[in-house]
């Protein structure tokens, strides 16, 4: 009886926390709907904007910005992160050996796994990274999120404003959302400014309308500054091919610490996230390059390596002849996945 009641309490707490995590999303949606009402029904068609041509132009532009913000925002929220391939799952024997107290045994097993999997990142003990919760070998740039309760490939951060992790599956959507939100708030700030001045000086205007227009201007300006700053920060990350986590702590590779290990040129870094179709860069549609679990490494003269080559036999994540995404693995499933255009859009890297 006590066990069942304890489970019921834990289940209730879990449901409560899950609901609370939606509060930031609800807050953003309430702000957007409120701004829609104030801009269209108070400013455009409430007697402030004139003549009719101006009213229609302002309303049309607002709806265009509003549509793209909502579209990209919902893509960030609703996109599910793809699972780590089964080939990275640990068998019972491998899991037991990794948990073994003998360092030699752990080293032996991790060396065997590193030989058949496309993993170059290491932990502080210079062993391959693994997740005890998901019981998998972590692919490069993969991290476990305790809130999502799963390993997220190319994890950037967990964002409470979208109640989701930002990673390989939705990083482009997140950046596109920031871009459109930046345009949206800038447009709101400057288009509301004249009516903010009118509302501030007009003593005869309804108090409710004045307060709403004033608050819309202040909130738009405040959000605009913060969102634009965040967008600039992530653009810097993209062109340097780093995630937020990698920017906060340099990645450890099998050849040592290298904060620029995934740098493959500014243009290629950008294309890796946005793809090579310029017409789709600003749309929340999938155009990213790669498969999520393997990434090309830069050619580093600093550490004396070539395309990820280190001590012993190594696999190439960038083919030295064609400069395309590729690697060789002892696992056929991974080899096929790397060649599958549905999961790995190979792109030719330009030097």
């Amino acid at each position: 009886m006590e066990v069942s009641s304890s489970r019921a309490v834990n289940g209730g707490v879990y449901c409560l926390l899950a609901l609370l995590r939606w509060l930031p999303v609800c807050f953003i949606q309430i702000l957007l709907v409120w701004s829609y009402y104030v801009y269209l029904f108070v400013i455009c068609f409430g007697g402030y904007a004139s003549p009719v041509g101006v009213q229609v132009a302002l309303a049309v532009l607002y709806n265009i910005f509003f549509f793209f913000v909502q579209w990209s925002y919902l893509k960030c929220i609703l996109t599910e992160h793809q699972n780590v391939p089964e080939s990275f799952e640990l068998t019972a024997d491998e899991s037991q050996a990794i948990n073994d107290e003998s360092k030699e045994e752990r080293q032996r097993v991790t060396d065997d796994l590193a030989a058949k999997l496309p993993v170059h990142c290491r932990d502080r003990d210079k062993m391959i990274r693994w997740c005890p919760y998901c019981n998998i070998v972590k692919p490069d740039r993969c991290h476990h999120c305790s809130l999502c309760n799963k390993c997220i490939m190319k994890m950037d951060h967990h964002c409470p404003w979208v109640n989701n992790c930002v990673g390989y599956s939705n990083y482009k959507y997140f950046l596109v959302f920031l871009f459109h939100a930046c345009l949206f708030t800038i447009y709101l700030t400057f288009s509301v400014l004249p009516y903010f001045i009118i509302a501030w000086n007009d003593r005869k205007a309804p108090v409710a309308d004045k307060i709403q227009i004033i608050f819309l201007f202040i909130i738009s300006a405040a959000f605009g500054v913060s969102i634009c700053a965040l967008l600039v920060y992530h653009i810097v990350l993209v062109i340097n091919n780093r995630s937020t986590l990698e920017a906060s702590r340099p990645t450890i590779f099998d050849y040592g610490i290298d904060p620029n290990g995934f740098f493959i040129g500014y243009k290629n870094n950008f294309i890796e996230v946005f793809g090579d179709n310029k017409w789709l860069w600003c749309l929340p549609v999938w155009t990213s390059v790669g498969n999520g679990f393997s990434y090309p490494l830069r050619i580093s003269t600093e550490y004396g390596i070539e395309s990820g080559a280190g001590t012993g036999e190594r696999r190439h994540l960038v083919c030295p002849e064609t400069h395309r995404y590729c690697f060789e693995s002892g696992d056929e499933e991974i080899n096929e996945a790397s060649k599958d255009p549905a999961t790995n859009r190979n792109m030719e890297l330009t030097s």
Side-chain angles (χ1 to χ4, degrees):
M1 235 4 222
E2 291 181 0
V3 174
S4 60
S5 62
S6 175
R7 288 178 179 174
V9 171
N10 291 336
V13 171
Y14 178 81
C15 290
L16 179 60
L17 292 175
L19 288 174
L20 289 175
R21 286 202 289 267
W22 284 102
L23 286 180
V25 175
C26 292
F27 175 71
I28 294 297
Q29 288 296 336
I30 289 171
L31 277 182
L32 287 171
V33 172
W34 169 75
S35 74
Y36 193 93
Y37 165 76
V38 175
Y39 197 87
L40 291 184
F41 298 102
V42 176
I43 294 177
C44 290
F45 305 114
Y48 283 89
S50 61
V52 176
V54 174
Q55 295 175 343
V56 173
L58 290 175
V60 169
L61 286 173
Y62 177 88
N63 276 283
I64 292 173
F65 287 120
F66 185 86
F67 170 76
F68 281 107
V69 167
Q70 284 284 28
W71 183 15
S72 53
Y73 187 52
L74 291 176
K75 289 286 283 188
C76 287
I77 297 170
L78 301 177
T79 298
E80 293 186 8
H81 293 275
Q82 66 184 73
N83 295 322
V84 175
E86 293 181 1
S87 299
F88 288 83
E89 293 181 6
L90 294 169
T91 64
D93 292 339
E94 290 170 340
S95 180
Q96 183 177 358
I98 289 179
N99 282 291
D100 196 288
E101 293 183 1
S102 170
K103 185 175 181 181
E104 291 75 14
E105 180 65 14
R106 292 202 307 273
Q107 187 69 54
R108 182 190 66 79
V109 174
T110 55
D111 287 346
D112 290 343
L113 290 169
K116 68 178 182 179
L117 293 172
V119 287
H120 293 265
C121 294
R122 298 292 185 265
D123 61 17
R124 294 179 179 177
D125 296 325
K126 297 183 179 180
M127 296 185 181
I128 62 170
R129 304 174 309 126
W130 67 285
C131 178
Y133 304 104
C134 301
N135 197 42
I136 61 167
V137 173
K138 290 181 181 179
D140 290 349
R141 316 185 85 171
C142 177
H143 299 273
H144 184 87
C145 176
S146 57
L147 293 174
C148 294
N149 196 30
K150 68 181 297 185
C151 282
I152 307 297
M153 291 196 285
K154 197 186 177 183
M155 180 177 175
D156 188 87
H157 68 287
H158 184 92
C159 180
W161 297 106
V162 299
N163 191 29
N164 197 2
C165 265
V166 175
Y168 170 75
S169 298
N170 65 349
Y171 187 52
K172 186 209 171 183
Y173 305 150
F174 178 73
L175 295 175
V176 171
F177 164 66
L178 291 180
F179 172 73
H180 288 298
C182 189
L183 294 181
F184 180 62
T185 52
I186 290 173
Y187 169 77
L188 270 181
T189 301
F190 287 99
S191 63
V192 171
L193 179 58
Y195 308 107
F196 164 78
I197 296 173
I198 292 173
W200 185 271
N201 296 320
D202 189 0
R203 296 182 179 180
K204 296 180 180 180
V207 176
D209 291 352
K210 292 177 64 173
I211 292 175
Q212 292 192 95
I213 292 173
I214 291 170
F215 269 93
L216 179 60
F217 173 77
I218 294 173
I219 291 173
S220 299
F223 271 86
V225 171
S226 58
I227 291 173
C228 290
L230 186 60
L231 176 62
V232 170
Y233 173 71
H234 275 280
I235 289 175
V236 172
L237 291 180
V238 168
I239 63 176
N240 286 284
N241 209 333
R242 295 178 190 169
S243 66
T244 300
L245 291 175
E246 291 162 356
S248 63
R249 55 178 185 267
T251 305
I252 303 174
F253 292 89
D254 45 11
Y255 56 84
I257 297 176
D258 187 359
N260 298 311
F262 296 109
F263 186 89
I264 52 176
Y266 294 116
K267 179 182 177 181
N268 292 324
N269 292 340
F270 185 87
I271 290 176
E272 188 175 275
V273 175
F274 287 93
D276 48 10
N277 189 336
K278 298 178 181 179
W279 299 105
L280 299 179
W281 283 352
C282 296
L283 297 179
V285 295
W286 181 256
T287 56
S288 298
V289 174
N291 52 33
F293 59 82
S294 67
Y295 296 89
L297 304 180
R298 72 187 180 96
I299 296 176
S300 173
T301 55
E302 180 180 357
Y303 293 98
I305 63 170
E306 295 181 0
S307 300
T311 57
E313 289 189 21
R314 298 303 305 149
R315 300 161 305 283
H316 287 283
L317 285 176
V318 179
C319 179
E321 296 178 358
T322 64
H323 293 284
R324 289 181 181 273
Y325 283 66
C326 65
F327 57 84
E328 295 179 359
S329 167
D331 193 301
E332 298 222 356
E333 179 188 344
I334 293 179
N335 285 332
E336 290 303 315
S338 70
K339 299 172 186 176
D340 185 0
T343 58
N344 182 22
R345 292 180 58 251
N346 286 332
M347 77 171 199
E348 190 160 344
L349 299 177
T350 58
S351 57

